[in-house]
Amino acid sequence: MLEKLRERLQAHRPRRNTLRLREAAVLLPVVDRPEPTLLFTRRANHLNTHQGQVAFPGGKREPEDADLLATALRESREEINLAPDEVELLGQLSDVISLHGLRVTPYVGLIPPDLPLTPDFDELDTIFEVPLAHFLEDQRTHTDVIHVDGRDYYVPSYRFPDTDGEEHIIWGLSAMMLVELLAEGFAMPISLYERPAGKLLYHPARRIPTS
């Protein structure tokens, strides 16, 4: 599975967005287990924005970052104590624009299992893993329909209980990145642009910032 993922992502040509926006980058860490998992974080409840939201490790580009991959790796070290030399880069996904006017570039990396990762509690509440099979079996609870600049995006929403029984919701920008990972990395028939079966939850129309 992971060898095929590596081959497919290396052949993938991600779309780059040319809007002049602030830049950010995230890492989608695939954990190299017998049954591979995807690692997520949850933002701390005391933060001013995005409290309690599930996300991939990452953040805004800083002037000292050589490129956006350096941003993703630096933020991953700061947020979850993931050393850059533990990450095998598998590929890059297409840019995604956040509602706050950030152009976010996702990178996919393979990491060893059972690293001594620890969350930065100034920013995060927890780190957790979800088996890739959960997404490949399309165990979404519903689909969020987000109307942006005249186009509907069908974004899956997932719930996953951790080992303590607490439920995490994976949706929004992280789920949009996840759709491309599943489609391009695993040849899964999933798309942001085609209406799926099942429950749809419609959201107010939005516009992408242009500057």
Side-chain angles (χ1 to χ4, degrees):
M1 174 193 273
L2 295 181
E3 184 56 39
K4 181 60 70 173
L5 172 65
R6 182 184 289 106
E7 293 174 3
R8 291 183 62 87
L9 288 182
Q10 288 176 355
H12 178 46
R13 296 294 176 264
R15 299 179 303 277
R16 298 305 313 273
N17 191 292
T18 58
L19 291 175
R20 295 176 60 86
L21 300 172
R22 293 172 297 161
E23 294 179 302
V26 300
L27 180 69
L28 281 64
V30 176
V31 185
D32 188 4
R33 298 189 182 280
E35 297 294 332
T37 63
L38 196 58
L39 184 146
F40 294 88
T41 69
R42 188 180 65 200
R43 290 175 59 83
N45 283 323
H46 64 257
L47 296 176
N48 293 327
T49 59
H50 307 299
Q51 306 97 322
Q53 287 191 8
V54 168
F56 296 109
K60 296 176 185 176
R61 184 174 185 173
E62 299 293 346
E64 65 269 20
D65 294 336
D67 52 28
L68 286 164
L69 175 58
T71 299
L73 294 176
R74 174 184 55 76
E75 287 281 347
S76 296
R77 179 192 283 277
E78 293 175 1
E79 289 188 351
I80 63 173
N81 195 35
L82 175 60
D85 60 6
E86 296 282 12
V87 181
E88 177 193 346
L89 180 65
L90 299 181
Q92 180 180 334
L93 302 178
S94 300
D95 293 344
V96 182
I97 307 301
S98 80
L99 293 178
H100 297 280
L102 285 174
R103 184 173 71 237
V104 185
T105 301
Y107 294 90
V108 182
L110 185 65
I111 67 172
D114 304 318
L115 292 174
L117 303 178
T118 53
D120 174 3
F121 288 108
D122 288 338
E123 297 190 34
L124 306 175
D125 280 343
T126 190
I127 303 167
F128 65 98
E129 298 177 31
V130 180
L132 277 169
H134 185 82
F135 305 113
L136 292 168
E137 295 165 2
D138 203 352
Q139 296 188 40
R140 71 180 75 189
T141 57
H142 68 273
T143 300
D144 291 308
V145 185
I146 304 174
H147 191 77
V148 182
D149 288 347
R151 184 173 197 175
D152 284 334
Y153 292 82
Y154 297 96
V155 185
S157 180
Y158 306 90
R159 291 179 180 268
F160 186 79
D162 63 17
T163 54
D164 296 324
E166 185 171 359
E167 226 172 34
H168 300 291
I169 301 175
I170 302 161
W171 67 293
L173 206 68
S174 296
M176 293 177 74
M177 300 172 191
L178 181 54
V179 165
E180 186 174 6
L181 173 64
L182 296 171
E184 297 297 335
F186 297 98
M188 181 176 171
I190 187 172
S191 172
L192 291 172
Y193 313 112
E194 297 177 10
R195 178 173 176 161
K199 179 182 176 181
L200 302 179
L201 180 61
Y202 287 85
H203 293 262
R206 303 171 182 177
R207 295 192 63 82
I208 292 178
T210 56
S211 61

